[in-house]
Amino acid sequence: GINGFGRIGRISLRASLLKDSGVEIVQINDPFTPLDLMVTLMNYDSAQGRFFHSAEADIENNMLQIKDRDSGKIITSILVTSEKSPEYIPWGKTSVEVVLDCTGVFLTKELSKGHLSSFNSQSTASKVVLSAPAKDSEIPLYVVGVNSDSYKNEDIISNASCTTNCLAPIVKILNDKFGIEKGLMTTVHACTQNQLIVDGCNKRSVRTGFSGMSNIIPATTGAAGAVGKVIPEVKGILTGMALRVPTLTGSVVDVVLTLKDKNANLSNVLDVLTKSAEGDMKNILKVDYSDAMTSAAIIGDSHSSIVDAKACMEIKDQKGERLIKIISWYDNEFGYSCRLIQLAKIVGKK
């Protein structure tokens, strides 16, 4: 089931409908989006383009129907409910096992536990996956391909952030092979829903209140620090910031690292990343050796992290110290949503 049918909720539904996703969405809860509007927003998306199937409303049964665009055959029918609080959502009506909370609101254990059958008499759900970093330390972060194999059957977990999902695979691979001394990251990130179209007031940050459509805006991000929670060996040696830019989706991480192995150069690094992309990180990491990568080029790409080999660089000083810059793209909506569905599949099997 999906709670919250905003950007990530809708795109996660798209991701679940890809071949071999292994996840079936049977219920959507959203108190703010009426069924007819859900249909329109599914079919036409300014960032991701037209839906590859067709969404229709079954008003009588309060169902969102997904049909094959060519044949008109019904692929699935999804019950739509509209409760505001998790403890009142009747997930039991469709025997939901795993809830994807895509609201960005219920980010503590206390707020999100209402989805669970142990706290909600109308629910059958035993697991909750949050589509944002948790706000309390009780909820663990998992990044598919990085630490998801160590999932300990917790009932509420977080899929971390889109930027952490881009950065963490690179950090894991390079730390395992060469060791990382320290690193600084900047994510050049597409606009998000909390930004304004025209200048206005933002109580947390003055400059975030300026128009997201006409400014490059420096912002904070916990993504680099969160990597230390996912990979404890690098805790405290990575930090970073964000630059919000006027694009709808498509972002890029710029991370500069010093490695413990002083003989490792950029060619070695790219070789290791490429081998991982073809092996244990297949479908999560990709290395692109073309010179065609732009933010538009990776929209709809399901990978968490797309290393732009031609844009990576290195510099070595007279003392032999080397800085290595890795540039990696990610569709901060679709790539992230694909990992959210994958994580739901992992926890659903436990």
Side-chain angles (χ1 to χ4, degrees):
I2 294 175
N3 185 41
F5 208 53
R7 295 301 306 151
I8 298 303
R10 293 194 296 274
I11 298 165
S12 293
L13 177 55
R14 286 191 180 206
S16 75
L17 292 162
L18 295 174
K19 185 179 179 182
D20 300 325
S21 78
V23 172
E24 181 185 6
I25 303 299
V26 293
Q27 188 171 339
I28 296 165
N29 183 79
D30 190 306
F32 305 111
T33 311
L35 179 54
D36 57 347
L37 183 54
M38 285 185 179
V39 167
T40 301
L41 292 172
M42 272 301 294
N43 284 329
Y44 307 103
D45 191 291
S46 298
Q48 298 293 331
R50 189 177 172 187
F51 186 28
F52 47 81
H53 290 309
S54 177
E56 295 185 14
D58 177 354
I59 300 294
E60 184 179 347
N61 296 301
N62 224 38
M63 292 277 195
L64 178 67
Q65 289 187 339
I66 306 298
K67 296 183 177 181
D68 182 275
R69 194 197 290 180
D70 296 322
S71 68
K73 181 181 178 181
I74 296 175
I75 297 169
T76 187
S77 292
I78 303 166
L79 178 66
V80 174
T81 53
S82 56
E83 298 294 337
K84 288 186 177 180
S85 298
E87 60 266 29
Y88 298 118
I89 303 171
W91 297 119
K93 284 188 174 182
T94 52
S95 302
V96 165
E97 297 174 2
V98 179
V99 174
L100 304 180
D101 194 296
C102 300
T103 62
V105 175
F106 306 107
L107 298 178
T108 66
K109 195 158 191 175
E110 187 63 31
L111 291 172
S112 57
K113 69 182 183 182
H115 290 300
L116 300 170
S117 59
S118 52
F119 295 94
N120 179 348
S121 61
Q122 300 182 80
S123 177
T124 49
S126 60
K127 304 286 171 59
V128 178
V129 182
L130 306 179
S131 72
K135 289 187 175 180
D136 65 31
S137 58
E138 291 185 74
I139 299 176
L141 302 180
Y142 285 100
V143 173
V144 176
V146 178
N147 71 333
S148 53
D149 285 346
S150 64
Y151 171 59
K152 299 179 178 63
N153 205 30
E154 297 97 338
D155 53 7
I156 303 173
I157 65 171
S158 166
N159 193 46
S161 73
C162 52
T163 303
T164 299
N165 272 265
C166 177
L167 179 61
I170 295 168
V171 169
K172 177 176 171 54
I173 293 164
L174 298 187
N175 189 63
D176 286 351
K177 182 67 176 179
F178 305 112
I180 293 174
E181 281 188 348
K182 53 184 175 291
L184 281 173
M185 180 217 72
T186 301
T187 174
V188 182
H189 199 289
C191 278
T192 56
Q193 199 168 19
N194 65 351
Q195 290 183 257
L196 301 175
I197 294 175
V198 296
D199 295 353
C201 176
N202 186 296
K203 293 180 179 179
R204 289 191 299 174
S205 167
V206 173
R207 56 188 168 194
T208 304
F210 286 98
S211 168
M213 289 292 99
S214 57
N215 287 283
I216 298 173
I217 302 175
T220 59
T221 177
V227 172
K229 295 180 180 179
V230 176
I231 310 170
E233 299 90 337
V234 300
K235 185 177 181 180
I237 64 172
L238 294 172
T239 190
M241 64 171 294
L243 294 173
R244 298 285 183 87
V245 297
T247 57
L248 285 177
T249 192
S251 302
V252 61
V253 155
D254 172 339
V255 61
V256 178
L257 301 169
T258 57
L259 303 177
K260 292 179 180 178
D261 183 345
K262 300 305 176 184
N263 294 316
N265 58 29
L266 180 59
S267 178
N268 302 144
V269 165
L270 290 174
D271 284 346
V272 168
L273 291 172
T274 300
K275 287 176 183 176
S276 291
E278 295 169 350
D280 58 338
M281 289 279 185
K282 188 175 182 180
N283 299 323
I284 294 167
L285 178 72
K286 181 165 72 174
V287 181
D288 190 284
Y289 285 88
S290 74
D291 61 354
M293 301 303 293
T294 66
S295 59
I298 52 88
I299 294 174
D301 195 304
S302 62
H303 292 85
S304 298
S305 193
I306 307 152
V307 175
D308 190 338
K310 289 287 181 72
C312 297
M313 58 180 66
E314 65 182 338
I315 187 169
K316 185 178 179 181
D317 66 18
Q318 294 178 344
K319 296 179 181 178
E321 289 291 322
R322 195 187 307 264
L323 292 176
I324 295 180
K325 178 193 283 282
I326 304 297
I327 301 295
S328 193
W329 299 89
Y330 58 114
D331 183 335
N332 48 282
E333 294 184 332
F334 192 73
Y336 180 79
S337 296
C338 287
R339 295 296 83 73
L340 187 63
I341 292 297
Q342 202 170 345
L343 188 57
K345 183 179 178 180
I346 291 169
V347 304
K349 288 182 176 179
K350 288 285 186 176

